[in-house]
Amino acid sequence: MSPGRETIGIGMVGHAFMGAVHSHAWRSVHRFFDPPLVPRLAVLGGRDETRARVAAARFGWEDVETDWRKLVARDDVGLVDVCTPGDSHAEIAIAALEAGKHVLCEKPLANSVAEAEAMAEAARRARELGVRAMVAFNYRRVPALAHARNLVAGGALGEIRHVRSVYLQDWLSDAQAPMTWRLRKESAGSGALGDLGAHIVDATQFVTGEVITGVSALTNTFVKQRPSENGGTDEVTVDDTALFLARLSGGAVASFEATRFALGRKNAMRLEINGSKASLAFDFEAMNELQWYEGTGTEAGFRRILVTEPQHPYVGAWWPPGHLLGYEHTFTHEVADLLDAIGSGTDPEPGFDDGLRVQRVLDAVERSAAAEAHWTSVEESK
């Protein structure tokens, strides 16, 4: 880090799982990268002051607020990091942008297309004043996936023909697993679709450079009631799994599956792309690798590319070749890119328009599933 670098005060709303990984990213980014602004962990927001202070002490935040509006209004906050459930994303992010604060918002961007449109419009207005907004699709920052995007953009795969993308977890397979906010539509917007499906939709569009134009979808809820906090049961109002076929703007066909009921799969986020010249495959459970096949049958199967060389995206800031990176590094890459964009006065990627594009796909999936898998154009949701 260069000496005398200007600081920027971070105000983060929320301190659970995402709050923990975002805190780690803000603490570590200037120790490995050289951002134009050095983040200062100014204030952590949480509804319960006692819990918030415990989290602040643990994660390295200087102060706490129990009202996010006060956090946004503070003079020592220049960037607001939104790590709350989806039902509050729009209100917090729009207020922060209107107050002239840069915004990082967790995915999915919102719980509805209408909310996402309002957020994207607020970001466009703020951009004219030099205020930046980014949505936190952290898998874009996996070096192997960023390398895959470069390979596709460089024409190494040729014409994209097939895409297969899945995100498999199993943490809800037990019917007695307790109710959480992620299982309530009013707080989460959707279930596996928004929680996991949003990631593979964005990753597919990011790596291929194409957008999803239409879908045919099925969703299902396997466990319709779960134990509640008060000892009774609560109704599950979101999907447990979502499956859909899609067509991409370049003509390729694709399949997607998102579920939290795949026993034995802990965080299997996978993407395979077949082109006219070559194929690539990625599995987050082997996140430092790409599988690569080039040719028309003269080679015997895929070969392994270990994406740990200094020339690979992000890797040069870390360890010697062959020393592996992990999940937490993707968030450090994310905030490094955001700070670079703010410092250079450019638009970070993915911006709120990208988040809106994903939201429109999720909306088309829900509408298609409600209509017995009727083919549904993504453009219809504009």
Side-chain angles (χ1 to χ4, degrees):
M1 182 184 70
S2 301
R5 190 61 54 92
E6 182 182 351
T7 62
I8 182 170
I10 311 299
M12 189 174 73
V13 189
H15 52 76
F17 172 37
M18 280 298 109
V21 292
H22 281 230
S23 297
H24 179 274
W26 291 120
R27 287 197 311 270
S28 64
V29 62
H30 63 286
R31 294 175 169 88
F32 292 91
F33 292 83
D34 191 25
L37 299 166
V38 176
R40 182 171 65 85
L41 280 64
V43 55
L44 178 66
R47 290 173 295 182
D48 183 291
E49 183 174 0
T50 299
R51 292 176 57 201
R53 291 199 178 279
V54 169
R58 183 179 184 186
F59 300 143
W61 294 87
E62 297 174 8
D63 198 5
V64 302
E65 292 282 3
T66 57
D67 184 340
W68 65 260
R69 295 170 183 82
K70 292 182 179 178
L71 181 149
V72 167
R74 287 176 58 140
D75 292 336
D76 60 347
V77 171
L79 186 151
V80 176
D81 186 353
V82 184
C83 294
T84 59
D87 59 333
S88 59
H89 284 186
E91 187 178 18
I92 298 172
I94 291 172
L97 290 168
E98 290 179 345
K101 310 298 174 73
H102 307 291
V103 172
L104 174 63
C105 184
E106 258 304 320
K107 48 57 60 185
L109 185 61
N111 279 3
S112 69
V113 169
E115 289 178 342
E117 287 176 337
M119 295 172 74
E121 178 57 33
R124 294 183 201 113
R125 293 193 303 268
R127 184 186 306 136
E128 297 177 359
L129 302 174
V131 178
R132 308 296 167 179
M134 189 169 82
V135 59
F137 282 113
N138 67 295
Y139 289 114
R140 288 190 178 210
R141 270 70 189 196
V142 175
L145 276 183
H147 183 52
R149 174 187 170 91
N150 292 340
L151 290 170
V152 173
L157 273 74
E159 176 191 353
I160 303 300
R161 292 171 173 169
H162 287 280
V163 178
R164 297 172 201 86
S165 195
V166 303
Y167 202 151
L168 312 176
Q169 295 180 346
D170 71 353
W171 62 278
L172 283 177
S173 296
D174 182 357
Q176 295 305 306
M179 193 71 178
T180 77
W181 67 266
R182 294 183 185 274
L183 301 176
R184 296 186 175 97
K185 188 171 182 62
E186 63 271 19
S187 56
S190 63
L193 175 62
D195 188 19
L196 308 181
H199 272 305
I200 54 178
V201 167
D202 182 72
T204 295
Q205 296 185 143
F206 168 68
V207 174
T208 64
E210 301 180 12
V211 298
I212 296 169
T213 61
V215 299
S216 174
L218 295 173
T219 59
N220 197 58
T221 303
F222 298 113
V223 178
K224 296 178 172 56
Q225 290 190 327
R226 288 191 177 271
S228 65
E229 297 89 339
N230 59 17
T233 59
D234 283 340
E235 182 182 0
V236 175
T237 52
V238 298
D239 59 276
D240 286 330
T241 187
L243 304 93
F244 58 99
L245 303 178
R247 189 176 295 280
L248 302 185
S249 54
V253 293
S255 63
F256 295 83
E257 179 182 4
T259 181
R260 300 182 290 207
F261 276 72
L263 272 173
R265 299 300 182 191
K266 303 305 177 182
N267 202 46
M269 185 272 206
R270 300 171 177 172
L271 176 66
E272 180 171 326
I273 303 174
N274 307 128
S276 59
K277 295 181 180 179
S279 293
L280 65 81
F282 169 80
D283 185 343
F284 184 71
E285 292 182 346
M287 67 170 285
N288 292 273
E289 302 176 14
L290 276 180
Q291 296 296 316
W292 177 260
Y293 178 83
E294 188 171 357
T296 56
T298 57
E299 293 87 5
F302 282 77
R303 67 180 177 88
R304 171 177 173 259
I305 301 174
L306 186 62
V307 189
T308 62
E309 296 297 316
Q311 70 268 23
H312 290 137
Y314 304 106
V315 177
W318 296 101
W319 321 124
H323 291 68
L324 307 182
L325 300 187
Y327 174 73
E328 72 279 9
H329 294 87
T330 67
F331 294 90
T332 305
H333 303 160
E334 181 175 85
V335 300
D337 285 347
L338 177 55
L339 292 171
D340 282 343
I342 293 170
S344 63
T346 58
D347 291 330
E349 294 183 357
F352 279 15
D353 284 331
D354 298 297
L356 171 57
R357 186 173 296 113
V358 172
Q359 200 73 44
R360 286 173 170 158
V361 175
L362 303 183
D363 176 72
V365 168
E366 289 191 305
R367 290 186 289 115
S368 174
E372 299 294 328
H374 179 76
W375 184 261
T376 302
S377 170
V378 173
E379 286 78 11
E380 290 177 7
S381 59
K382 290 183 179 179

